[in-house]
């Protein structure tokens, strides 16, 4: 390999490849829910830009926290195929009501990590009768490709040692524990189902182990 030579014939120092998560910016973000701070991060390993919405003086212990996977169709378009948009809104309301808390919005998690276009392809297969697990597998994709290591790094940067985790997904709790964040409590985030998402939610409960006890009360939905 030829070494790079800079001006005056001096050898250039090799560039250091950065890794991990870097805090880039802290900006006020007034929302319809309350006044948050939007703390932006760059994930050098994956190239994703991430954000944590922080409300109040969060402290270090038992911080009410939501790890929210990016979902363009649900968060922005109000899709009833999932409950993601309602979960995001409920989480933001909850941390404001609590007086302190964090919502980590995880980009790169679209479609449980398979990406937007692949998610739309999976949704098309679901419209033909496959469930959400079968659709991903039919496309040759993993059922769930999400990694919560970046979320744990963000929480560490914010000085958080333990959380009250707003989630119905046991895998999020397990991931945080593996990365050194204690989970003092798992707080259910249950959204009333509708006709368009009941099959999707039942699949999440039966095949992905999500804790969704409220579905028992809506047996009448197809």
């Amino acid at each position: 390999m030829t070494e790079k030579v800079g001006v005056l014939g001096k050898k250039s120092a090799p560039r250091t490849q950065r890794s991990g998560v870097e805090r880039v910016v802290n900006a006020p973000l007034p929302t319809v829910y309350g006044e948050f701070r939007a703390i932006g991060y760059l994930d050098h390993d994956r190239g994703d830009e991430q954000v944590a919405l922080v409300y109040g003086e969060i402290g270090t212990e038992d911080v009410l926290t939501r790890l929210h996977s990016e979902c363009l169709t649900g968060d922005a378009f109000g899709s009833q195929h999932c409950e993601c948009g309602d979960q995001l809104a409920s989480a933001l309301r909850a941390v404001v009501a609590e007086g302190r808390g964090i919502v980590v919005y995880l980009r790169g998690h679209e479609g449980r990590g398979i990406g937007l276009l692949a998610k739309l392809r999976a949704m098309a297969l679901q419209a033909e009768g496959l469930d959400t697990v079968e659709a991903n597998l039919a496309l040759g994709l993993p059922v769930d490709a999400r990694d919560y290591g970046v979320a744990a790094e963000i929480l560490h940067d914010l000085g958080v040692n333990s959380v009250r985790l707003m989630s119905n997904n046991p895998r999020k709790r397990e991931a945080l524990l593996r990365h050194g964040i204690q989970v003092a409590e798992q707080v259910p985030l249950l959204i009333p189902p509708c006709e368009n998402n009941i099959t999707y939610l039942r699949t999440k409960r039966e095949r992905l182990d999500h804790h969704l006890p409220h579905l028992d009360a809506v047996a009448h939905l197809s």
Side-chain angles (χ1 to χ4, degrees), residues 3-162:
E3 293 186 89
K4 292 184 178 180
V5 178
V7 295
L8 303 179
K10 294 182 180 179
K11 294 178 181 178
S12 299
R15 289 186 178 181
T16 303
Q17 182 68 36
R18 300 200 61 171
S19 63
V21 173
E22 177 190 5
R23 186 193 291 213
V24 175
V25 63
N26 183 343
L29 184 69
T31 75
V32 294
Y33 308 101
E35 181 86 20
F36 287 81
R37 286 182 291 130
I39 303 180
Y41 293 86
L42 177 59
D43 179 356
H44 288 284
D45 296 320
R46 298 170 185 80
D48 293 324
E49 297 173 335
Q50 307 287 5
V51 65
L53 298 185
V54 175
Y55 187 83
E57 297 299 323
I58 56 174
T60 62
E61 307 296 332
D62 301 348
V63 182
L64 188 63
T65 300
R66 167 73 177 164
L67 309 183
H68 189 85
S69 295
E70 176 183 26
C71 177
L72 179 67
T73 51
D75 299 340
F77 302 150
S79 168
Q80 290 189 328
H81 183 270
C82 61
E83 80 278 44
C84 300
D86 287 334
Q87 282 190 317
L88 178 59
S90 294
L92 291 167
R93 291 190 190 100
V95 297
V96 171
E98 180 86 358
R100 67 182 185 118
I102 304 168
V103 174
V104 181
Y105 193 85
L106 292 163
R107 303 186 67 205
H109 277 204
E110 188 76 57
R112 297 198 302 273
I114 63 174
L116 177 60
L117 296 183
K119 181 178 85 168
L120 294 176
R121 292 188 183 101
M123 288 169 62
L125 290 177
Q126 289 170 64
E128 296 175 4
L130 299 186
D131 68 32
T132 181
V133 170
E134 293 165 343
N136 280 31
L137 295 176
L139 292 169
L141 298 170
V143 173
D144 193 336
R146 290 174 292 182
D147 181 352
Y148 298 101
V150 65
E153 287 191 63
I154 288 171
L155 292 175
H156 282 301
D157 177 76
L158 294 171
V160 173
N161 297 322
S162 68

Side-chain angles (χ1 to χ4, degrees), residues 160-198:
V160 173
N161 297 322
S162 68
V163 299
R164 295 170 55 230
L165 182 64
M166 288 186 283
S167 178
N168 310 317
N169 183 356
R171 290 178 177 83
K172 289 185 181 181
R173 177 181 181 276
E174 294 162 5
L176 288 183
L177 291 174
R178 283 198 305 273
H179 290 283
I181 300 291
Q182 296 302 307
V183 180
E185 180 186 2
Q186 192 154 339
V187 180
L189 195 58
L190 304 176
I191 305 299
C194 66
E195 186 175 350
N196 290 316
N197 66 21
I198 186 64

